[in-house]
């Protein structure tokens, strides 16, 4: 079972939550687009150029595509993705905002704003509040900061991390064990995750567990079975974390996913 796109439209903003699914997009939008990847994505793209190349987008990363910028992107699997339209480049307050795209921005404020918008879309709320202002401030900071730091979590390392987590998704997986697997200290691992993905390793692990849980709930697995399969201590643990992350219970999510199936 797959989900359809969840959509929220106000007088100023249009927000969409795209589910993990294959896609093939080629367009030149008349409005700027802010994107946020909740999960890892890979495929081929050409953003503002005529050169198509492979990409691997890290989770919890922000992107900006100005109005009039040609976009091509395709993926065999895709990933959960938030789209926000309606922001004029002048709102960011940097002269380059109307001229060039940005990709791969890892920032805790962007993560918080994107999760807040996802919460509204999943819950069916009809208002967008301070999230665009927060995202504009994040984009201004990154347009203004000319320094670039190569993240420790490269594409190959992220693939290895995801595979390790997925192999042990049903187990009690401590961050110390992940650090040992990577040959790192816990302190270094925490700093690397914050710099590269904008979240702590624990938050990343929980998000990955929740993503797997949502997939099983869409397939109509019982909630208790989903909790055990995804490594939560019990059904109540899964319920608490899903309510904190999405604002809904697993049972409510399963019902709404069934009602919005493609």
């Amino acid at each position: 079972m797959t989900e359809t796109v969840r959509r929220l439209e106000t007088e100023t903003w249009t927000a969409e939550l795209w589910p993990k699914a294959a896609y093939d997009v080629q367009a030149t939008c008349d409005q700027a687009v802010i994107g946020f990847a909740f999960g890892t994505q890979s495929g081929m793209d050409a953003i503002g150029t005529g050169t198509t190349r492979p990409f691997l987008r890290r989770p919890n990363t922000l992107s900006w595509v100005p109005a009039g910028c040609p976009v091509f992107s395709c993926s065999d699997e895709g990933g959960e993705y938030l789209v926000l339209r309606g922001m004029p480049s002048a709102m960011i307050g940097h002269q380059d905002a109307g001229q060039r795209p940005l990709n791969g921005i890892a920032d805790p404020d962007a993560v918080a704003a994107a999760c807040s918008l996802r919460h509204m879309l999943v819950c069916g709320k009809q208002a967008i509040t301070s999230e665009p202002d927060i995202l504009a401030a994040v984009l201004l900071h990154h347009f203004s900061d000319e320094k670039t730091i190569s993240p420790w979590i490269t594409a190959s390392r992220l693939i290895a991390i995801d595979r390790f987590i997925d192999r042990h998704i049903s187990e009690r997986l401590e961050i110390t064990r992940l650090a040992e697997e990577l040959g790192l200290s816990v302190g270094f691992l925490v700093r690397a995750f914050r710099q590269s993905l904008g979240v702590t390793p624990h938050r990343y692990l929980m998000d990955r567990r929740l993503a797997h849980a949502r997939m099983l709930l869409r397939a109509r697995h019982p909630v208790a079975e989903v909790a055990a399969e995804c490594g939560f201590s019990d059904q109540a643990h899964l319920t608490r974390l899903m309510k904190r992350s999405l604002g809904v219970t697993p049972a409510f999510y399963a019902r709404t996913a069934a009602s919005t199936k493609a």
Side-chain angles (χ1 to χ4, degrees):
M1 178 185 298
T2 58
E3 290 181 277
T4 57
V5 174
R6 297 175 186 260
R7 183 181 177 91
L8 167 58
E9 194 165 0
T10 70
E11 185 176 346
T12 305
W13 308 103
T14 299
E16 295 175 341
L17 184 62
W18 298 354
K20 182 177 180 178
Y23 68 85
D24 189 331
V25 174
Q26 186 164 4
T28 300
C29 296
D30 57 359
Q31 286 185 306
V33 176
I34 292 176
F36 187 88
F38 286 103
T40 305
Q41 295 190 35
S42 61
M44 304 290 293
D45 71 7
I47 312 296
T49 71
T51 304
T52 303
R53 59 185 181 182
F55 75 86
L56 190 145
R57 191 153 294 121
R58 291 174 290 132
N60 295 321
T61 52
L62 184 71
S63 65
W64 163 261
V65 179
C69 179
V71 172
F72 165 74
S73 184
C74 66
S75 173
D76 291 336
E77 295 185 357
E80 188 179 28
Y81 199 74
L82 175 74
V83 171
L84 180 67
R85 298 184 179 88
M87 182 176 292
S89 59
M91 184 173 172
I92 297 172
H94 194 281
Q95 60 183 4
D96 289 349
Q99 303 297 323
R100 63 183 175 93
L102 288 179
N103 284 295
I105 299 171
D107 187 283
D109 289 338
V111 174
C115 287
S116 177
L117 287 169
R118 179 172 66 176
H119 181 288
M120 294 176 186
L121 284 156
V122 171
C123 293
K125 295 185 177 180
Q126 298 299 314
I128 294 176
T129 55
S130 61
E131 293 83 9
D133 294 310
I134 294 170
L135 294 174
V138 170
L139 289 167
L140 173 60
H141 171 74
H142 285 272
F143 270 115
S144 303
D145 187 2
E146 296 299 327
K147 295 182 293 182
T148 57
I149 302 174
S150 298
W152 183 88
I153 300 181
T154 59
S156 59
R157 284 170 174 158
L158 182 61
I159 290 172
I161 290 168
D162 286 348
R163 285 176 176 169
F164 178 77
I165 292 174
D166 291 347
R167 283 199 308 271
H168 302 282
I169 196 78
S170 64
E171 303 172 18
R172 181 179 174 84
L173 183 57
E174 301 287 351
I175 300 307
T176 52
R177 187 175 170 192
L178 179 58
E180 289 171 1
E181 174 72 13
L182 298 171
L184 303 173
S185 70
V186 171
F188 184 92
L189 183 66
V190 170
R191 291 192 297 273
F193 264 78
R194 286 188 181 278
Q195 176 202 337
S196 303
L197 304 177
V199 295
T200 64
H202 178 74
R203 168 69 181 273
Y204 184 78
L205 173 60
M206 289 299 105
D207 286 348
R208 199 153 183 89
R209 289 193 195 279
L210 285 171
H212 189 56
R214 291 164 64 192
M215 179 188 71
L216 295 177
L217 289 168
R218 289 195 297 271
R220 299 183 179 179
H221 288 248
V223 176
E225 177 187 309
V226 171
E229 177 68 24
C230 297
F232 296 101
S233 56
D234 53 28
Q235 182 174 330
H237 186 204
L238 168 60
T239 299
R240 286 196 305 274
L241 289 181
M242 183 165 280
K243 283 206 71 174
R244 187 184 306 164
S245 175
L246 299 178
V248 297
T249 65
F252 180 89
Y253 180 83
R255 288 197 302 271
T256 58
S259 67
T260 59
K261 64 181 180 179

